[in-house]
Amino acid sequence: MASLSTLLLRGPSVLRRCPWLPAARTYAAGGDFEYIIAEKRGKNNNVGLVQLNRPEALNALCKGLIEELSRALMMFQKDPSIGAVVMTGTEKAFAAGADIKEIRDKTFQSCYSDNFLKDWDFLNQFKKPVIAAVNGFALGGGCELAMMCDIIYAGEKAQFGQPEILIGTIPGAGGTQRLTRVVGKSLAMEMVLTGDRISAQEAKQAGLVSKIFPVEKVVEEAIHCAEKIASNSKIVTEMAKESVNAAFELTLAEGMRLEKKLFYSTFATDDRKEGMNAFVEKRKPNFKDK
């Protein structure tokens, strides 16, 4: 979860806020945020957008930022109008890692007793699809945060890495586990043991990234994808996400059994009936999320 800001980027760095985002930092009745910007986007306001906004620290993932991110996602989860979420940073950095100044004095006892990183579990439990729109650095905890999302879109200048080894530690929020499952043992081992970064093009070739876009287009394209997802039945979308995620944890036989049960479950929904009727009648379905 290391931050590369202390290793690669000496001196002050000022990040520009995404020009496509308005000045507001609040979402509905959720209150003010200090480290993020949260709002609804899309033609039908059915996409949640979260921008990490801690420019003075390259969006380093301090405790306050993670807590605000958790709170924003909780609000999006409870909002029935939201069908998918886009998470982004700035053109310079998605997130350059953990806040080293905040964690450098921790001990084994405090990490173990306080269950350090427990606040990261919120994204694992989030049911709606999340698309990471990555520009610039996604390093250490930033790379791990992107991998916790369901889809990764990258700007053409994005860089991914797990540089924890360079400051005497290892990844702690999925960098050795999710990365290995996605890109394979050899590349994951190289990245974790050397701290080297890979480009957006290399990340796509390895299967870490779904698509690459120009820097100024990646968030727009992620929102467009999220709108497509949000137009489908939300309850069936959640089933589909659960089934795909299970492929990383279950054997093939166990995964097939779960998939079949979830497939059967769709036949208990009104949306499955509406979708098939609309197909037969050659019209657009009107899903009610029931």
Side-chain angles (χ1 to χ4, degrees):
M1 292 230 343
S3 169
L4 225 65
S5 60
T6 56
L7 300 171
L8 300 177
L9 304 168
R10 304 295 183 182
S13 296
V14 178
L15 301 187
R16 290 187 295 112
R17 187 175 173 278
C18 293
W20 48 79
L21 296 178
R25 289 195 179 191
T26 61
Y27 165 62
D32 293 329
F33 295 111
E34 181 179 359
Y35 302 115
I36 69 171
I37 298 167
E39 62 181 9
K40 291 184 177 183
R41 294 300 296 270
K43 295 177 181 178
N44 298 315
N45 283 327
N46 56 0
V47 173
L49 179 64
V50 179
Q51 182 196 3
L52 311 184
N53 193 50
R54 199 181 173 217
E56 74 285 354
L58 291 175
N59 290 339
L61 302 168
C62 63
K63 182 177 177 61
L65 188 151
I66 293 298
E67 289 177 345
E68 289 186 4
L69 183 57
S70 177
R71 181 155 53 94
L73 289 180
M74 187 179 300
M75 290 187 295
F76 286 138
Q77 183 66 62
K78 293 179 179 179
D79 188 334
S81 70
I82 297 296
V85 172
V86 171
M87 187 185 304
T88 192
T90 63
E91 290 186 8
K92 190 73 174 287
F94 176 75
D99 190 329
I100 303 303
K101 293 180 180 179
E102 186 178 79
I103 68 174
R104 63 179 174 179
D105 294 327
K106 284 188 174 293
T107 64
F108 163 76
Q109 291 86 346
S110 65
C111 289
Y112 189 83
S113 299
D114 298 339
N115 193 15
F116 181 45
L117 300 183
K118 66 179 182 299
D119 293 334
W120 285 65
D121 293 340
F122 67 90
L123 199 50
N124 292 327
Q125 300 162 6
F126 191 67
K127 292 184 176 182
K128 298 179 181 181
V130 182
I131 303 171
V134 177
N135 272 319
F137 298 118
L139 306 174
C143 186
E144 290 169 317
L145 183 61
M147 289 191 292
M148 292 173 75
C149 298
D150 302 299
I151 299 171
I152 301 178
Y153 279 6
E156 54 195 359
K157 296 181 181 180
Q159 298 183 39
F160 299 83
Q162 298 291 162
E164 288 85 352
I165 197 77
L166 303 178
I167 57 171
T169 188
I170 69 171
T176 66
Q177 301 301 304
R178 289 190 178 90
L179 186 63
T180 304
R181 284 167 168 78
V182 173
V183 307
K185 177 183 176 181
S186 182
L187 180 55
M189 195 72 81
E190 181 181 18
M191 292 173 67
V192 170
L193 296 185
T194 66
D196 288 348
R197 294 166 284 162
I198 61 173
S199 66
Q201 292 73 23
E202 291 170 315
K204 185 178 187 302
Q205 185 177 9
L208 181 61
V209 164
S210 175
K211 294 180 180 178
I212 299 175
F213 298 98
V215 171
E216 68 277 8
K217 289 288 187 179
V218 63
V219 173
E220 176 186 336
E221 293 293 340
I223 292 173
H224 181 58
C225 177
E227 286 184 286
K228 287 184 179 180
I229 294 171
S231 69
N232 297 320
S233 166
K234 294 180 180 61
I235 187 170
V236 175
T237 295
E238 290 179 9
M239 290 181 186
K241 172 175 173 174
E242 179 184 352
S243 190
V244 173
N245 282 335
F248 288 91
E249 301 177 3
L250 304 176
T251 66
L252 179 58
E254 291 170 335
M256 290 300 297
R257 283 194 291 271
L258 175 64
E259 179 185 87
K260 192 171 293 184
K261 288 179 180 179
L262 289 170
F263 168 68
Y264 293 162
S265 298
T266 66
F267 283 77
T269 68
D270 294 340
D271 284 345
R272 191 279 314 169
K273 184 182 297 184
E274 165 63 13
M276 291 188 177
N277 285 338
F279 177 82
V280 171
E281 296 166 9
K282 296 184 168 80
R283 60 176 175 81
K284 184 177 179 180
N286 181 24
F287 295 123
K288 301 294 186 181
D289 305 320
K290 296 180 180 180

